[in-house]
């Protein structure tokens, strides 16, 4: 599996995947209080991709496509990048429900966090997740993100303002890289042993 930049030409596969996964994604998706969810046209994707690409050029976002066996599998975005003394960002992700449970999402998140820390030069990455979203919470918990508390009515999700749990990592939490630590923990789990590194 891998990550690659989000492209405007991903529009058709992105739309098809989103429509097929509408029920899987709807409870966790950011919504605009003034517009309907899951429009069926291509316009929303083009607008989102253009906005993310503009933010990427300004150093404010890192928009990626998650791939599995070379094919489109989902989306991962590092956004709300703040420079200066904060050097922080927020990460959000989704994967095709047909591919869930294969370790794709934690691997993608680990790769993205390593890029943020060791290539981009960020210090802190947050993931804000609805308390009810147990699958997404398991992703960051497996990777060793620290739970830092509740953000009340933090984002408009699925038609209402929802509470989110804030999870975070700093570069000091994964000095040798999150992907290496994740792979070692998976190898230890598959062999029935315990990893020597904190997971």
């Amino acid at each position: 599996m891998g990550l690659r930049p989000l492209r405007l030409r991903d529009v058709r596969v992105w739309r098809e995947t989103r429509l097929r996964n509408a029920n899987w994604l709807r409870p966790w998706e950011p919504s605009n209080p003034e517009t309907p969810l899951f429009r069926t046209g291509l316009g929303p994707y083009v607008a989102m991709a253009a906005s993310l690409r503009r933010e990427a050029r300004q150093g404010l976002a890192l928009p990626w496509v998650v791939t599995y066996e070379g094919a489109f599998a989902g989306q991962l975005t590092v956004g709300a990048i703040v420079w200066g003394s904060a050097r922080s960002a927020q990460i959000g992700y989704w994967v095709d429900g047909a591919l869930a449970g294969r370790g794709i999402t934690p691997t993608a998140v680990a790769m993205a966090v390593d890029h943020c820390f060791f290539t981009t030069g960020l210090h802190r990455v947050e993931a804000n997740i609805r308390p009810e979203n147990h699958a997404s919470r398991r992703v960051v918990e497996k990777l060793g993100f620290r739970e830092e508390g509740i953000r009340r009515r933090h984002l408009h999700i699925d038609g209402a303002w929802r509470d989110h749990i804030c999870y975070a990592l700093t570069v000091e939490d994964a000095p040798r890289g999150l992907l290496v630590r994740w792979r070692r923990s998976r190898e230890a789990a598959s062999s029935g042993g315990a990893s020597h590194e904190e997971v």
Side-chain angles (χ1 to χ4, degrees):
M1 67 101 352
L3 295 173
R4 65 163 174 78
L6 181 70
R7 302 171 185 149
L8 288 174
R9 66 178 174 264
D10 291 318
V11 60
R12 295 199 182 280
V13 67
W14 182 91
R15 177 180 175 268
E16 187 278 327
T17 306
R18 300 275 301 174
L19 288 174
R20 186 166 32 82
N21 284 272
N23 291 335
W24 164 259
L25 298 173
R26 188 181 313 274
W28 323 119
E29 280 295 298
S31 50
N32 184 324
E34 299 162 1
T35 59
L37 292 169
F38 288 90
R39 296 182 196 160
T40 57
L42 302 181
Y45 174 83
V46 173
M48 181 228 18
S51 174
L52 286 173
R53 288 162 58 88
R54 184 170 52 253
E55 289 180 14
R57 287 191 298 273
Q58 296 168 347
L60 303 176
L62 297 166
W64 284 305
V65 162
V66 178
T67 61
Y68 180 69
E69 296 180 348
F72 184 100
Q75 184 178 348
L76 184 151
T77 301
V78 176
I81 296 176
V82 178
W83 294 101
S85 58
R87 297 180 90 76
S88 67
Q90 296 182 23
I91 192 166
Y93 45 84
W94 63 267
V95 70
D96 187 330
L99 300 173
R102 301 184 191 195
I104 295 168
T105 306
T107 302
V109 171
M111 292 170 67
V113 169
D114 283 355
H115 182 85
C116 288
F117 287 161
F118 305 118
T119 302
T120 306
L122 297 180
H123 177 253
R124 174 184 168 91
V125 174
E126 289 184 9
N128 293 292
I129 303 169
R130 285 187 61 187
E132 305 86 353
N133 191 346
H134 299 290
S136 193
R137 290 175 61 189
R138 275 195 306 274
V139 168
V140 294
E141 289 166 356
K142 286 176 188 177
L143 293 172
F145 277 66
R146 163 180 66 254
E147 185 177 327
E148 294 190 338
I150 294 281
R151 293 188 168 179
R152 300 290 178 196
R153 295 171 292 283
H154 178 61
L155 289 173
H156 198 272
I157 302 287
D158 191 26
W161 295 102
R162 311 286 186 176
D163 293 349
H164 283 66
I165 300 173
C166 177
Y167 291 89
L169 271 182
T170 63
V171 69
E172 293 88 353
D173 296 320
R176 289 182 292 278
L178 196 56
L179 185 60
V180 167
R181 190 169 79 184
W182 165 239
R183 286 183 172 156
R184 286 183 180 165
S185 71
R186 289 190 81 189
E187 289 167 6
S190 66
S191 67
S195 173
H196 295 292
E197 293 203 43
E198 177 185 330
V199 290

